[in-house]
């Protein structure tokens, strides 16, 4: 029998895709392509996505939801709000979002821990400075105590005073998972 111990809140705040950005992404993605919504089905048709992460609300896709796979440029969007110029570090990649206005209510305030924190999953933790340039990063295998593991790896990242924000990405496909900004 697994004994669960009460946990404190994570030390860092994982950020979803902002509501204003989601509204734009529900029309056209960051590569300029129109969004093609579909309904997630258990049989994987048209795309096996049930259980995949929704970056707009930081939870998994459920069967029957209207979703879209869009190209998202998180550093570009952050830079637009800060005046930074990430130059060649600007990249975009695939993420799932709710496809229709009003369908996403954002992250569940009662959710505990970090999103998509499956022990054994492989992540990269990329560090960016205030100009939007990569200033470091590391490979990270999520341990059994996922919250402590994320707290520790983010403590390590923000110990460098140059680090303004961190992107957590899936190692296998490079997909953006969530962002954490300097507290």
């Amino acid at each position: 029998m697994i004994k669960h111990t009460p946990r404190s809140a994570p030390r860092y705040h994982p950020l979803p895709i902002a509501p204003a950005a989601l509204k734009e992404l529900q029309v056209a993605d960051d590569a300029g392509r129109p969004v093609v919504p579909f309904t997630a089905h258990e049989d994987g048709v048209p795309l096996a996505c049930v259980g995949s992460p929704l970056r707009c609300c930081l939870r998994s896709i459920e069967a029957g939801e209207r979703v879209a796979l869009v190209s998202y440029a998180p550093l570009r969007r952050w830079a637009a709000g800060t005046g930074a110029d990430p130059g060649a570090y600007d990249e975009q990649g695939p993420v799932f979002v709710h496809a229709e206005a009003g369908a996403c209510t954002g992250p569940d305030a009662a959710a505990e821990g970090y999103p998509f924190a499956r022990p054994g999953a492989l992540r990269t933790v990329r560090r960016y400075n205030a100009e939007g340039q990569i200033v470091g990063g590391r490979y990270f295998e999520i341990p059994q105590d996922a919250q402590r593991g994320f707290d520790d790896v983010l403590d390590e990242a923000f110990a460098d005073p140059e680090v303004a924000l961190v992107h957590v990405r899936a190692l296998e496909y490079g997909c953006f998972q969530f962002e954490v900004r300097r507290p």
Side-chain angles (χ1 to χ4, degrees):
M1 181 173 158
I2 297 174
K3 183 177 180 182
H4 295 281
T5 56
R7 298 188 186 278
S8 60
R11 282 197 290 270
Y12 299 92
H13 184 69
L15 298 172
I17 292 174
L22 174 61
K23 187 175 180 179
E24 293 171 2
L25 291 169
Q26 289 169 332
V27 177
D29 70 11
D30 285 345
R33 290 186 300 270
V35 173
V36 180
F38 62 93
T39 301
H41 295 286
E42 292 286 351
D43 63 7
V45 176
L47 185 62
C49 67
V50 171
S52 293
L54 281 162
R55 281 33 165 252
C56 51
C57 55
L58 302 180
R59 69 164 176 79
S60 298
I61 296 171
E62 297 174 3
E65 288 191 284
R66 296 286 291 165
V67 297
L69 182 61
V70 299
S71 184
Y72 178 57
L75 192 61
R76 180 185 314 162
R77 288 181 175 274
W78 169 82
T82 64
D85 180 10
Y89 295 102
D90 178 31
E91 58 186 315
Q92 58 194 25
V95 297
F96 287 105
V97 296
H98 279 109
E100 297 168 346
C104 185
T105 58
D108 179 357
E112 295 182 6
Y114 292 94
F116 323 124
R118 179 178 45 83
L122 305 175
R123 300 289 183 255
T124 58
V125 179
R126 292 190 189 158
R127 305 168 188 177
Y128 296 91
N129 65 16
E131 288 78 40
Q133 300 164 340
I134 294 176
V135 292
R138 73 186 298 262
Y139 156 86
F140 173 60
E141 181 174 349
I142 301 174
Q144 286 300 313
D145 187 344
Q147 181 172 312
R148 182 175 178 183
F150 269 110
D151 283 346
D152 289 349
V153 80
L154 292 167
D155 282 346
E156 176 187 296
F158 289 115
D160 179 346
E162 192 176 2
V163 174
L165 74 153
V166 170
H167 285 175
V168 175
R169 293 177 175 268
L171 184 67
E172 300 89 342
Y173 301 104
C175 299
F176 174 82
Q177 301 291 298
F178 59 87
E179 177 178 299
V180 177
R181 296 183 183 174
R182 176 171 289 285

